[in-house]
Amino acid sequence: MKEESLSEDKKFTVNFPEGTAFAEVIIREGKAPEVLPDRPPVRTSLSGMLGTPFEYLKKRVGTGQFTQERSFLIVNRESVKITLVINENDEYLRGTVEGRLEFHPRFQEFGINTGKGWEPAELGVFFKMNRSFFPDKNANMKLVTELMNFKASVNQKIERSVSEKGDKGDIFTQTVNSNLPASFVLNIPIFKGTHAETLEVETFAKINGREVTFTLLSPGASQALEDIRDRAIDGQLNEIVGIAPNIAIIEV
């Protein structure tokens, strides 16, 4: 199709409302700009530290962005996570705000209560590089020296018996005697953003032929983990109820 210039003679009819005393008509030459397509609204999707849902609600409650009656909280204590869901009945506007309490990376590296195995020299180097988490620096140095020069004796005893009735017994016992202390003390935070906890950590030896590995266990860490988790979650829920009492709270 041939385009015609507006410079050629053309007639236009423009109707103005009755009573119009002055009006301006602008005629542009060329192709009209494209109209942008409609897009669905951007959903809220946020994640952060455990207090994120509370911080979000603190700035949004009462703004009309959502209603408390159409929102709810999902609390998962095992995962140490709180999830806020807003506009639950609107497919376009439904959003989530997640808060999670994460383990401190240094606590995870120790592998306490995870079954992680450490070779003696490897554990000695690790303790040396993480001396700051030992409240007694002299105890740390002694422990490092003993691990780097680890010596142990393994006593094995096998008892086998057969009774007149045909019953059989097969008992295997093994004891490990080493120069390591049975336990040591750490001062380390378990979760990010929390205070350091004083934990007694026990060393357990595993023997596989000539190879010796250690695992680190701490009943105190397990108890502290649960206490900190529940205290942190309950604190957040109390804060949220204070500013948004009509949001449903669901424990899973």
Side-chain angles (χ1 to χ4, degrees):
M1 179 183 295
K2 181 181 178 182
E3 294 186 0
E4 296 181 350
S5 171
L6 288 179
S7 60
E8 300 177 14
D9 268 351
K10 289 191 176 291
K11 294 182 179 180
F12 296 91
T13 301
V14 180
N15 297 319
F16 294 102
E18 186 176 348
T20 300
F22 175 81
E24 181 180 10
V25 178
I26 299 175
I27 300 175
R28 293 188 174 90
E29 183 178 2
K31 188 177 180 181
E34 294 183 3
V35 178
L36 295 176
D38 291 334
R39 294 182 181 274
V42 177
R43 293 185 180 185
T44 299
S45 180
L46 301 172
S47 62
M49 300 297 286
L50 191 64
T52 301
F54 170 69
E55 293 299 326
Y56 180 86
L57 288 170
K58 191 165 62 173
K59 300 296 184 181
R60 296 294 190 275
V61 168
T63 63
Q65 184 172 336
F66 59 88
T67 62
Q68 296 183 42
E69 291 75 14
R70 291 297 185 182
S71 306
F72 59 89
L73 284 169
I74 299 175
V75 181
N76 189 324
R77 293 181 183 268
E78 291 301 317
S79 300
V80 202
K81 181 172 65 173
I82 299 175
T83 304
L84 169 67
V85 179
I86 59 174
N87 298 316
E88 60 184 56
N89 62 323
D90 193 319
E91 186 66 26
Y92 279 95
L93 295 177
R94 185 183 301 124
T96 58
V97 181
E98 181 183 286
R100 183 189 295 270
L101 193 60
E102 297 181 350
F103 282 108
H104 194 284
R106 288 292 182 269
F107 177 77
Q108 285 186 307
E109 288 176 6
F110 275 85
I112 297 172
N113 296 338
T114 65
K116 179 178 180 178
W118 293 92
E119 294 182 356
E122 177 190 20
L123 187 58
V125 172
F126 180 78
F127 282 171
K128 184 175 183 178
M129 298 305 296
N130 289 275
R131 184 177 299 172
S132 60
F133 297 112
F134 288 77
D136 187 338
K137 300 301 183 284
N138 290 327
N140 170 268
M141 293 174 63
K142 185 174 183 293
L143 190 57
V144 169
T145 300
E146 290 172 344
L147 284 166
M148 299 299 288
N149 300 279
F150 177 73
K151 295 179 182 179
S153 61
V154 180
N155 298 319
Q156 296 179 346
K157 184 179 179 182
I158 300 175
E159 295 181 4
R160 292 188 176 91
S161 62
V162 180
S163 70
E164 295 177 355
K165 296 180 181 180
D167 297 333
K168 293 183 179 181
D170 194 340
I171 302 173
F172 174 81
T173 60
Q174 177 175 275
T175 58
V176 180
N177 298 314
S178 74
N179 56 338
L180 288 181
S183 64
F184 58 91
V185 176
L186 287 178
N187 192 34
I188 188 171
I190 296 178
F191 293 104
K192 286 182 179 179
T194 62
H195 297 294
E197 302 288 330
T198 300
L199 306 174
E200 183 179 12
V201 182
E202 302 173 7
T203 57
F204 283 80
K206 291 183 179 180
I207 308 298
N208 182 14
R210 294 187 177 184
E211 294 182 359
V212 180
T213 58
F214 288 98
T215 56
L216 305 180
L217 300 179
S218 175
S222 296
Q223 183 62 50
L225 188 153
E226 293 185 9
D227 292 343
I228 296 170
R229 176 196 66 190
D230 290 339
R231 189 164 62 244
I233 288 179
D234 291 339
Q236 288 299 314
L237 294 181
N238 289 335
E239 296 273 19
I240 290 172
V241 169
I243 62 172
N246 294 328
I247 291 182
I249 299 175
I250 302 169
E251 296 256 4
V252 297

